[in-house]
Amino acid sequence: MANTDNATTHAALTGHEEHDAHGEHAGHDEHADHGKPHGFWHRWLTSTNHKDIGTMYLVFSCIMFFIGGAHAMLIRAELFHPGLQFFDPGTFNTLTTYHGLIMIFGAIMPAFVGLANWMVPMMVGAPDMALPRMNNYSFWILPFAFALLIGSEFVPGGGGGTGWTIYPPLSVEQGYALPMMIFAIHMMGASSIMGAINVIVTIMNMRAPGMSLLRMPLFVWTWLITAFLLIAVMPVLAGAVTMLLTDHFFGTSFFNAAGGGDPVMFQHIFWFFGHPEVYIMILPAFGIISEIIPTFSRKPLFGYDAMIYATASIAFLSFIVWAHHMFTVGLPLASELFFMLSTMLIAIPTGVKVFNWVATMYRGSISYEPPMLWAVAFVFLFSIGGFSGLMLALAPADFQYQDTYFVVAHFHYVLLTGAAFGIMGGVYYWLPKWTGHMYNMTLAKWHFWMSAIWANVLFFPQHFLGLAGMPRRVPDYATQFTDWNVVSSIGGFAFGLSQILFVILLWQCARGGERATGRVWEGARGLEWELPSPAPYHSWTEAPSMATLERGAPMHQTHG
Amino acid sequence: MATTHPNSDKYYIPHGSPWPILGSVALFAIMAGAISYLNDWTGAWSFLPGPLLLAAMFFGWFSTVIGESQHGTYNQEVDRSFRMGMMWFIFSEVMFFAAFFGALFYARRLAVPWLGGEGVKVLNKLYLWKSYNPGWPTNGPAHVGGLSNGTFSVIPPFGLPAVNTLILLTSSLTVTIAHHGLRSGNRVLLKTFLALTFLLGFSFVSLQIHEYGEAYRELGLRLSTGIYGSTFFMLTGFHGLHVTIGATMLVVIWLRTMRGHFTPNHHFAFEAVAWYWHFVDVVWLGLFTFVYWL
Amino acid sequence: MKIKPRLLLATLAGLCPLLAAPAAHAAWTLNLTPGVDQVSRDIYGLHMLAFWWCVAIAVVVFGVMIYSMARFRHSRGVVADTGLTHNTRVEIIWTTIPVLILISMAVPAARVLVETTDASGSQMDIRVTGYQWRWTYEYVGTGVKFVSSLDRMSDAARQLGSTIDPYSVPHYLLNVDHPLVVPAGVKIRVLVTGGDVIHSWWVPDFGIKKDAIPGYVNEAWFDVDPDKLGTYRGQCAELCGRDHGFMPVVVKVVSKADFATWLKQQQEAEKTQPPTAATSTSASAAAPAAALAAPSG
Ligand code: HEA
Ligand code: HEA
Ligand code: CUA
Ligand SMILES: [Cu+2]
């Protein structure tokens, strides 16, 4: 194997400087022209290394998950009992708004970009991302963007209280917070676009010889398609919020009926972005699950080609279903019909994915290490979220569900137990590769079981609340909703506390532990497992040999 | 990784670079400046630091890249990465304009007719906007903005806009001729036609500014003139901004050709700018057709 | 290990009555209510159809999955069948069956959708306008018009730090000072619009939720069964600012005769003391943000 550099990445997850410096001197070998740069600031602020940048993305996302989660805890505390206990209604709306924005743009999306940074070059046999400096740029925009966003919660007059969907005219009424939110969104958009360009170019241009498109692991495929979605829709969001800005400050009439505009037009533009956005948050998770399940079933992924087609169809359909978020705004009958039917179609390719995962497990040889536990939970719970999605897609039924906790339950099943669980699975899958250490299996299993159980206690009752008529985005509710809210809040607090286990585990694993082998998991196949653990600072400085490629190629190829 | 040898087959991975982080700070400064100006926290000066930092960043970053390129650090693969990156960037720009074109079409085809009570939306006319006769151009049922009597006129397509169309089309041609010059080693042709291109670009921008002045002073056509003014100025304004950026990039490229940069088969920067210029041109054709003409 | 799927089935079967039957204890309600007009019942039927399909699919898919998880365990020494990576026939089957299932839902859904949009033959128009944070109702052509906001008791109890126990307030947050009064057995059209920002007028028992868009009028209709007299409650269903949670919708359905008397009383009241409820509506229409929706004349 070409790559012999063993410089450790102890410090990778913690950014711990001492370790870094030691590793540097100890692990440096002469002919490998690539040591880690000296010095904390130099290494992290100016980094052009895909792993360091990936680490920063992941750490950032983890922090945002906690900040977004803290907002959620406050929401659940207020909703624990009827009556207002802690917050005035305006503050509550702010909490909801920022919880949604922070989780989506701060926690989930950066986590996926972080995983792509770490894994895509390793998986396609490249030394690094294609545009390393821009990679750094796309990361470092984020902390600044979130400084603006979170800062806007504390300006006089309070943060924006519009929900993450920032519908006008309500949003145009917001005070000082409005331009801060809008410009923060612009910055996040710029970051996402650059990140996506980098991923696409890396995949299209940096594959090792022999790594044909149809040999790429599914995580790479799903990210390729996701990146395309990102580049297509983030600019549209930027356009939409720009129109809000000019409506507020410069007297344009985009969303003002008196001037010939239409508030509903914002919703069309927003959801043209917003719906693909939700698939942006799930497709990479699909990719991760498609890596994990074959590994722990010791069997190649069932229906590799079908998986790719399914992903592409979901991406395509995602552009023509946006108005299912708008069934109650008074669309003409023909549009309602069109958007209802096109939305329902998405169940088919998504079903293909679920069936393929199940078929991969069927007649496999399954073991239940932590990544597999998350993956299995994902398949169950994402499907439940998908089922409620399908119910929402039926326009007349949506008249009853729209803007109730039924919707909240739906999207937390697909986002928390879907996207976030997928990320968790990915972290548990690749963590030993990153740190070079195995993690504490007992702790990992505790974290999983606590999360899986409490997430259901947290969100399953919200289906009932919604069906019984509790609207979303309210700080207070009629007394008949109390019981399920109590259950949900208890689930929420317990789920939140369980996440502390995760941090402890990460911390321990970054600092030490049993040494991980290169392959880590018995059934793992793929180029990333052909590198030592921890992976060398620069992944494939020389392209993997044909033999390595054959050995590491996804199993669907070797066993075709 | 340290620098690879000139034209080696290794992919060039740069050392740490200070420019991206400076760029992030610059972006933050731009946004913060705009925010504090819009919120009346500071005066117009707050627009200054951000763009200056950004300019410094671009200067530094591009100098580095140009230096590396001149030293032959980039192999074909790196070149391809740049090309792909530029193409996807332009695609994202296309989608940004698509949002505004979408708003234009939505307003013209749906919102305005609905406000006038067309089809199933007859209730709007019965109950809300009883005396509104929809049509295009319009500043809405409440005659928002415009002259003091609520009216406004539009810029006729076959005056300045048509001239501007010609200018941009010609400039697309001149940049192509310049490219031919570059490829065939005819540096004089290259320099002349490149200069012509950005001159045409800047004349486009000045005509546009002239036109805006007229619209504001005489026609009652302003950013606040209902939905027509909104879509008109946002679309043409963002386009004008892009022409300005494109023309500036052309100047940079031209200065580089004066210094002898670019070879007949190694000139990514030139092509990137040329693509960008064509993109700006195509957007204009859309604007001319749907904003001014139809 | 054939027990597992059966166990799951049994559990699900045990849960089902809970969902299907109207829950005995109101507080632990689990499901939609069928409502009191044809549309809401049709929606309920659609909801249950979709629900049962989802349960059925879940039973099959999760069943196979749980079976595989239990049966093909590495720890039991099972060797993987690594050749099983593809099977065209199965793949065709699991693409077509969902298509059929979807069609079986799409057809009734389309039918109900058409039904909900067909307001023809309505005998009465009511204009509903949402304001931050109350509703105004206008019985078109009768001159009757009033504002409906959260009742005093709820409003006192819902203040931050109030010491009033929500449980002591009848219909906490779901009560208004002036409910909308409508006759049963009459097809009534509601014309919904917003005065400032977007609101949404929602009465679950009628199967209506319509957004109130400033500057645009949306229509919806309902026709309550003649024997379903009573009071029905809903809430604003679009985030509309600070007090979005505090602008309930209350509709009192009375017999036609009672309605006629009520309407006459209202008309008398309007005549004798004009500057009350009605003017407060127009006053709010002059509020700055509301101006944008005001017709320019
Ligand atoms: C990761 C994010 C994610 C994902 C993957 C999805 C997936 C889906 N969503 Fe969801 N959705 C959201 C995130 C997501 N959604 C969010 C955030 C909102 C709220 C936004 C807001 O208002 O704030 C929302 C809201 C939302 C609405 C609007 C609700 C409302 O406001 O009234 C609708 C309506 O159609 C909908 C539908 C769907 C459908 C049909 C799918 C489908 O993709 C699901 C497909 C999957 C399955 C169906 C399960 C697996 C399939 C099988 C086992 C095969 C067999 C099945 C059948 C034949 C049925 N979603
Ligand atoms: C990926 C996205 C994501 C994720 C992961 C979550 C996670 C959670 N969400 Fe989120 N949610 C959204 C996306 C997400 N949400 C969106 C988009 C909305 C819509 C917003 C809108 O309406 O505009 C929403 C809305 C929303 C609502 C409705 C609010 C309303 O309508 O007013 C609620 C209410 O219960 C809620 C709860 C929670 C909870 C309890 C979690 C938990 O899973 C969070 C758990 C995590 C932690 C708790 C952090 C980790 C732990 C600590 C900080 C330790 C300390 C712990 C304690 C003190 C107990 N969310
Ligand atoms: Cu009105 Cu919400
Ligand atoms: Cu959607």
Side-chain angles (χ1 to χ4, degrees), chain B residues 234-266:
Chain B
M234 292 300 275
L235 274 163
T236 55
F238 271 116
H239 176 262
L241 187 70
H242 281 75
V243 177
T244 314
I245 295 171
T248 314
M249 298 196 308
L250 283 167
V251 173
V252 173
I253 294 299
W254 180 71
L255 289 175
R256 287 186 64 191
T257 58
M258 300 304 272
R259 286 197 174 186
H261 290 189
F262 305 126
T263 64
N265 44 27
H266 197 84

Side-chain angles (χ1 to χ4, degrees), chain A residues 65-70 72-73 75-76 79 92-93 96-101 103-104 107-108 162-166 281 405 408 411-412 415-416 419-420 455 458-459 462 471-475 485 488 491-500, chain C residues 239:
Chain A
F65 179 64
F66 274 75
I67 296 180
M73 295 297 102
I75 293 174
R76 284 315 326 164
L79 293 177
F92 182 90
N93 289 344
T96 299
T97 306
Y98 288 78
H99 163 66
L101 286 170
M103 282 299 193
I104 288 177
I108 302 292
T162 58
W164 79 284
T165 49
I166 40 178
M281 292 188 284
Y405 264 79
V408 177
F411 67 70
H412 282 94
L415 278 173
L416 177 74
L458 165 56
F459 290 119
Q462 294 188 357
R472 61 190 282 209
R473 295 164 169 173
V474 292
N485 269 303
S488 178
F493 301 141
F495 181 89
L497 286 175
S498 319
Q499 302 319 306
I500 295 172
Chain C
L239 179 58

Side-chain angles (χ1 to χ4, degrees), chain C:
Chain C
M1 284 302 292
K2 289 243 160 83
I3 292 169
K4 283 261 170 115
R6 234 179 280 149
L7 199 81
L8 180 83
L9 261 176
T11 328
L12 278 168
L15 281 172
C16 293
L18 261 182
L19 285 165
H25 181 30
W28 294 93
T29 22
L30 298 169
N31 203 358
L32 280 183
T33 45
V36 294
D37 78 344
Q38 193 51 43
V39 169
S40 69
R41 274 191 300 270
D42 288 345
I43 290 178
Y44 179 80
L46 196 60
H47 160 74
M48 290 316 286
L49 172 73
F51 171 74
W52 286 116
W53 267 128
C54 292
V55 171
I57 298 166
V59 168
V60 174
V61 177
F62 296 168
V64 176
M65 191 162 146
I66 291 170
Y67 169 77
S68 311
M69 285 171 60
R71 168 78 181 71
F72 306 110
R73 283 208 308 259
H74 188 60
S75 58
R76 300 170 80 215
V78 177
V79 179
D81 174 3
T82 51
L84 182 64
T85 58
H86 188 67
N87 185 325
T88 312
R89 213 179 59 214
V90 180
E91 289 178 72
I92 290 175
I93 291 173
W94 73 38
T95 318
T96 38
I97 290 183
V99 174
L100 298 178
I101 296 176
L102 290 177
I103 292 175
S104 81
M105 284 186 266
V107 172
R111 218 200 60 237
V112 181
L113 191 60
V114 172
E115 182 189 355
T116 59
T117 44
D118 179 16
S120 62
S122 62
Q123 292 146 279
M124 194 177 145
D125 279 356
I126 299 176
R127 277 191 76 180
V128 176
T129 311
Y131 291 97
Q132 286 168 321
W133 289 274
R134 59 207 181 282
W135 297 98
T136 69
Y137 299 116
E138 181 188 343
Y139 293 76
V140 175
T142 65
V144 175
K145 184 173 176 181
F146 56 88
V147 184
S148 173
S149 21
L150 186 66
D151 73 310
R152 289 257 191 81
M153 274 174 92
S154 293
D155 199 47
R158 64 113 176 160
Q159 299 302 326
L160 179 59
S162 91
T163 47
I164 308 167
D165 177 12
Y167 283 95
S168 70
V169 180
H171 300 290
Y172 177 60
L173 296 188
L174 293 179
N175 225 358
V176 294
D177 49 3
H178 302 291
L180 178 68
V181 180
V182 295
V186 173
K187 186 166 183 176
I188 298 168
R189 187 165 72 147
V190 280
L191 310 171
V192 189
T193 188
D196 34 41
V197 301
I198 303 178
H199 305 261
S200 191
W201 198 74
W202 178 33
V203 185
D205 284 303
F206 299 173
I208 290 188
K209 184 183 287 145
K210 243 335 162 220
D211 288 4
I213 315 278
Y216 291 80
V217 181
N218 277 329
E219 71 172 11
W221 65 271
F222 61 92
D223 185 355
V224 179
D225 297 355
D227 60 333
K228 294 278 168 42
L229 307 185
T231 304
Y232 301 99
R233 295 165 202 280
Q235 278 171 273
C236 176
E238 182 63 56
L239 179 58
C240 51
R242 198 185 63 229
D243 287 347
H244 158 63
F246 308 101
M247 49 182 293
V249 174
V250 180
V251 186
K252 219 167 115 187
V253 180
V254 297
S255 69
K256 281 186 203 170
D258 287 351
F259 178 74
T261 350
W262 176 85
L263 194 67
K264 192 152 271 144
Q265 273 171 10
Q266 296 298 310
Q267 283 169 321
E268 297 299 319
E270 295 267 329
K271 259 179 239 151
T272 48
Q273 29 160 258
T276 51
T279 34
S280 76
T281 314
S282 38
S284 56
L292 58 88
S296 59

